[in-house]
Amino acid sequence: MEIFRRALSNTGPLESFALQTVQEAIKPQRQTKLVLDENQLLENILRTLLQELVSCAVQSGEPVMLYGQCIADGETANGHIPHLLDIVLYLCEKEHVEGGMIFQLLEDLTEMSTMIDCKDIFGYIESKQDILGKQELFARGKLVMLRTCNQLLRRLSKANDVVFCGRILMFLAHFFPLSERSAVNIKGVFNTSNETKYEKDAPEGFSIDFNFYKTFWSLQEYFSNPPSITLAPSKWQKFATSLMVVLSTFEAQPLSDEHGNANIVEEEVAFFNIKYLTSSKLMGLELKDPSFRRHILLQCLILFDYLKAPGKSEKDMPSEAMKEEIRSCEDRVKKLLEVTPPKGKEFLECVERILERERNWVWWKRDGCPPFEKQPMEKKVVQDVVKRRRPRWRMGNKELSQLWKWSDANPNALTDPQRVQTPSITEYWKPLADDMDETAVIEAEYHHKNNKVYCWKGLRFSARQDLEGFSKFTEYGIEGVVPLELLPPEVRSKYQAKPNDRSKRAKKDETKGSAHSGEDPQIAAPAGEVEGGRHDLEVATGPMDVEVTAATGNNSQGSTPTPDEHQKRGAETPDIGQEPGQLEADGEVEAGEMDPEGDLDL
């Protein structure tokens, strides 16, 4: 300890003797950094020395932070205690000792000092805020510093030490990050200990309605504890009734511009009011005070904003009738604030902006206080790279140009039989037919019918190669287009045509054949009826061509026709030709099969 006493008289740079003093006093195993036991030993020595210095300062009657101050070379040197704190802060900053040691010494110093000395001690803390806020020190001592400041706030008077309390709160706001949860009222607890006491019995010679006096000041019970209103409907009714009386009184006694001008003069003298007096004798004067009226109306808006605030459970949310009453009262309060001089409209706009920010603050707390701070982006060193000229492709891009080269090297690439070809109907619809088999137990979300591209391509193939199946799409959907021979028997019965439909269709075709038996076998079908409006396209077919094409189309599917299909084919094949303009839907289907090269637009 004597070594540190001698170091306090050294006024040279800290780096020249601070570490050397620790090495002489502790004799550590490492030359530049103390281990755990050595840190504890050094902390005990420093705390004991600090206690002795404070005791000597009290006995001498000097302020704690000025004890041992001297003048050397015309300059005033620091006292012993600030010099000791500077030495320890330097050692903590350079990581020679444990980072939380300086915070522990500051806490001990505030506990041993009077409130007058604590103001000087806190001034030292404010001057070292940048160093104490460094990450290596802040992480070790933030809780100790928070405890120190809270203890100071408990010792201070909220009425007499307002400036000092504000300094502490401002320091905490700068010292801790904005998203620090320890500085946020997560649960939204209210200070219910702040009670407003007022007279319960009317005094003699009271000129104002005493019932109004009690009604007016009883509102403070609800303003200090807003959650109590939602506990029972009776409390809200009592509060709403009292508030209506007060608002009606304010509306019946509007304030003039003279009251506002007088209020401006008073604000120049006193910048803030701690708390209004509740004496019944002052009630008449307070009702004429614009600041007093604004104070009450602002409390109403804060209460309404809390009741409408998000993040509450369903039981804490107001009912629909209560919401309507809140909206009505809120409109009346805003109108009163707008007409209250001076500058009522500007004051109301400012209050609304503040309440909107408060709602955002409530949302932020409800979401778990996510951090606001973002790490700065590292500046990447951009190397000077010679810009290469982009290659120019003959066909616009690399893929098309490569394809063009292949066609030059192999002129027969497009006619090669081994290239990818259009699959047959049975090959294409086989996966969907497997999905329709109930014994396969394939989940619905993995069915091919959910693949829009697959269904669209299948409809294109069926429109060209299997118009009979394609016609079932409107009745059965995409599953009805699947060829029947691919389906199991229990599923096939759902999509087979009914016998009544087949017989009606056969009779219809026979009637057509007898009507056109003497006509020319070759028919020219207008393009508007075959292709739905395509111009300059003619299809010339004969009855025998239709029958041959239909048979060929069925054989191309690689399956044996069933008896039902034989009957259907015989019914659909006309014996004679048809005149232009008289083609029915079946004729259009067969004409489409005769022209395999034509495109069908879906």
Side-chain angles (χ1 to χ4, degrees):
M1 190 176 296
E2 292 297 331
I3 298 175
F4 281 99
R5 285 195 180 96
R6 291 197 302 269
L8 294 178
S9 59
N10 192 337
T11 58
L14 297 177
E15 57 270 13
S16 63
F17 68 91
L19 180 59
Q20 183 180 359
T21 303
V22 174
Q23 293 173 349
E24 293 178 1
I26 303 299
K27 296 180 180 179
Q29 298 176 4
R30 302 177 184 177
Q31 293 297 321
T32 59
K33 191 171 184 180
L34 303 184
V35 296
L36 181 61
D37 296 338
E38 295 169 347
N39 274 304
Q40 188 62 44
L41 177 60
L42 177 61
E43 183 178 339
N44 294 336
I45 295 174
L46 294 176
R47 294 177 72 177
T48 303
L49 177 60
L50 182 63
Q51 186 176 1
E52 292 181 0
L53 292 175
V54 172
S55 177
C56 294
V58 173
Q59 293 176 3
S60 64
E62 298 182 19
V64 171
M65 298 299 287
L66 300 180
Y67 174 72
Q69 190 178 38
C70 60
I71 300 176
D73 298 334
E75 296 182 359
T76 302
N78 291 331
H80 290 334
I81 293 179
H83 196 42
L84 176 63
L85 295 175
D86 288 340
I87 295 174
V88 178
L89 182 59
Y90 170 79
L91 295 173
C92 293
E93 184 183 4
K94 300 302 181 181
E95 298 184 357
H96 297 313
V97 299
E98 200 271 329
M101 192 176 298
I102 180 63
F103 296 95
Q104 189 62 52
L105 293 179
L106 290 172
E107 183 182 19
D108 293 347
L109 183 58
T110 55
E111 291 179 350
M112 293 184 293
S113 304
T114 62
M115 293 310 303
I116 298 177
D117 292 331
C118 284
K119 292 182 180 181
D120 298 333
I121 297 171
F122 196 77
Y124 174 83
I125 295 175
E126 290 175 324
S127 64
K128 304 298 181 181
Q129 177 179 340
D130 294 338
I131 302 177
L132 294 173
K134 290 184 177 180
Q135 185 61 33
E136 57 272 11
L137 299 182
F138 174 78
R140 296 296 186 89
K142 64 177 183 179
L143 297 181
V144 180
M145 179 57 68
L146 180 62
R147 183 171 63 243
T148 302
C149 294
N150 287 335
Q151 290 174 352
L152 285 175
L153 290 173
R154 293 190 190 99
R155 295 169 59 185
L156 292 172
S157 171
K158 296 181 180 179
N160 300 326
D161 300 317
V162 178
V163 178
F164 192 16
C165 291
R167 287 172 57 190
I168 296 174
L169 294 176
M170 291 295 293
F171 170 77
L172 290 174
H174 287 86
F175 185 70
F176 287 88
L178 186 60
S179 57
E180 177 66 30
R181 291 175 62 89
S182 60
V184 179
N185 187 6
I186 298 295
K187 297 181 180 180
V189 180
F190 288 86
N191 181 21
T192 56
S193 61
N194 184 18
E195 298 181 1
T196 302
K197 298 180 181 180
Y198 55 94
E199 301 173 8
K200 303 297 182 181
D201 299 326
E204 297 180 359
F206 189 68
S207 58
I208 298 180
D209 186 4
F210 191 74
N211 291 329
F212 172 78
Y213 168 81
K214 292 194 300 183
T215 301
F216 180 86
W217 288 112
S218 65
L219 294 177
Q220 297 300 320
E221 300 176 6
Y222 304 100
F223 291 151
S224 63
N225 189 18
S228 63
I229 297 179
T230 58
L231 296 178
S234 58
K235 289 192 174 183
W236 165 254
Q237 294 297 334
K238 185 178 179 181
F239 168 76
T241 304
S242 302
L243 181 60
M244 291 297 180
V245 173
V246 174
L247 295 180
S248 299
T249 304
F250 285 169
E251 291 172 348
Q253 299 180 10
L255 299 178
S256 61
D257 294 338
E258 297 179 357
H259 296 93
N261 296 333
N263 186 66
I264 295 176
V265 176
E266 292 178 0
E267 287 181 352
E268 294 178 356
V269 179
F271 294 98
F272 56 87
N273 293 311
I274 304 303
K275 195 170 184 179
Y276 284 99
L277 300 177
T278 60
S279 175
S280 58
K281 298 179 181 180
L282 300 175
M283 193 73 225
L285 296 176
E286 288 175 336
L287 290 177
K288 299 178 181 179
D289 185 5
S291 297
F292 178 79
R293 184 171 295 194
R294 281 178 172 176
H295 184 83
I296 302 300
L297 296 175
L298 182 57
Q299 284 182 312
C300 294
L301 290 181
I302 295 174
L303 175 63
F304 296 151
D305 198 63
Y306 167 78
L307 295 176
K308 299 185 302 181
K312 298 189 182 69
S313 59
E314 293 183 359
K315 63 178 182 179
D316 296 333
M317 292 297 293
S319 61
E320 293 299 329
M322 186 174 172
K323 289 181 180 178
E324 187 64 29
E325 293 182 9
I326 291 174
R327 193 178 300 108
S328 176
C329 294
E330 188 176 13
D331 293 339
R332 293 181 63 183
V333 170
K334 289 183 178 180
K335 290 180 181 178
L336 286 171
L337 277 175
E338 189 173 358
V339 299
T340 301
K343 300 179 180 180
K345 189 174 182 180
E346 291 81 358
F347 179 80
L348 177 60
E349 293 176 355
C350 181
V351 170
E352 288 178 342
R353 286 196 298 268
I354 294 173
L355 293 178
E356 183 179 0
R357 295 184 63 182
E358 182 67 19
R359 284 190 290 271
N360 296 333
W361 182 262
V362 172
W363 275 108
W364 174 73
K365 291 195 296 184
R366 194 207 67 166
D367 294 339
C369 304
F372 287 104
E373 300 82 1
K374 294 184 179 180
Q375 296 296 332
M377 298 179 62
E378 297 180 358
K379 295 183 179 180
K380 297 182 180 180
V381 179
V382 181
Q383 299 179 355
D384 295 336
V385 181
V386 179
K387 294 184 178 180
R388 298 180 180 179
R389 187 177 180 180
R390 296 180 61 183
R392 299 180 63 181
W393 303 102
R394 180 180 180 184
M395 300 302 296
N397 56 53
K398 182 179 179 180
E399 288 74 14
L400 289 178
S401 300
Q402 189 68 30
L403 183 62
W404 185 264
K405 291 181 181 178
W406 288 344
S407 63
D408 289 342
N410 185 10
N412 299 324
L414 298 177
T415 59
D416 187 2
Q418 300 298 329
R419 65 184 292 270
V420 179
Q421 298 180 354
T422 303
S424 63
I425 290 295
T426 54
E427 292 177 359
Y428 189 83
W429 290 118
K430 187 66 169 62
L432 182 56
D434 295 339
D435 296 343
M436 296 170 63
D437 189 358
E438 298 178 355
T439 59
V441 193
I442 300 176
E443 297 181 6
E445 59 179 331
Y446 300 110
H447 279 201
H448 285 73
K449 66 180 180 180
N450 299 327
N451 189 341
K452 296 182 179 180
V453 177
Y454 175 81
C455 297
W456 179 80
K457 289 183 178 180
L459 290 174
R460 296 276 297 185
F461 294 154
S462 297
R464 294 185 179 185
Q465 303 180 24
D466 185 19
L467 279 176
E468 180 181 353
F470 179 74
S471 63
K472 297 180 181 179
F473 175 74
T474 57
E475 183 176 358
Y476 300 106
I478 193 64
E479 293 180 343
V481 186
V482 179
L484 297 177
E485 60 268 17
L486 298 178
L487 302 177
E490 61 274 9
V491 181
R492 187 184 308 169
S493 59
K494 299 179 182 179
Y495 303 101
Q496 285 181 341
K498 297 180 181 180
N500 295 336
D501 297 341
R502 290 197 298 266
S503 60
K504 292 179 181 179
R505 190 169 183 178
K507 292 180 179 179
K508 187 175 182 180
D509 292 339
E510 291 177 0
T511 304
K512 294 178 183 178
S514 60
H516 303 288
S517 57
E519 297 293 335
D520 190 359
Q522 293 185 351
I523 303 173
E529 298 182 6
V530 177
E531 291 291 333
R534 180 177 296 178
H535 298 286
D536 301 330
L537 179 63
E538 294 183 355
V539 179
T541 60
M544 297 301 295
D545 296 336
V546 175
E547 183 177 355
V548 172
T549 305
T552 305
N554 291 332
N555 293 334
S556 65
Q557 298 181 3
S559 60
T560 304
T562 61
D564 294 336
E565 292 176 349
H566 277 296
Q567 181 181 357
K568 187 173 183 180
R569 185 181 302 166
E572 291 179 353
T573 305
D575 295 333
I576 58 175
Q578 295 176 338
E579 294 182 358
Q582 295 181 349
L583 290 176
E584 298 293 335
D586 296 326
E588 296 179 6
V589 171
E590 293 169 356
E593 290 184 355
M594 288 185 293
D595 188 7
E597 298 298 327
D599 290 337
L600 181 62
D601 296 334
L602 297 181

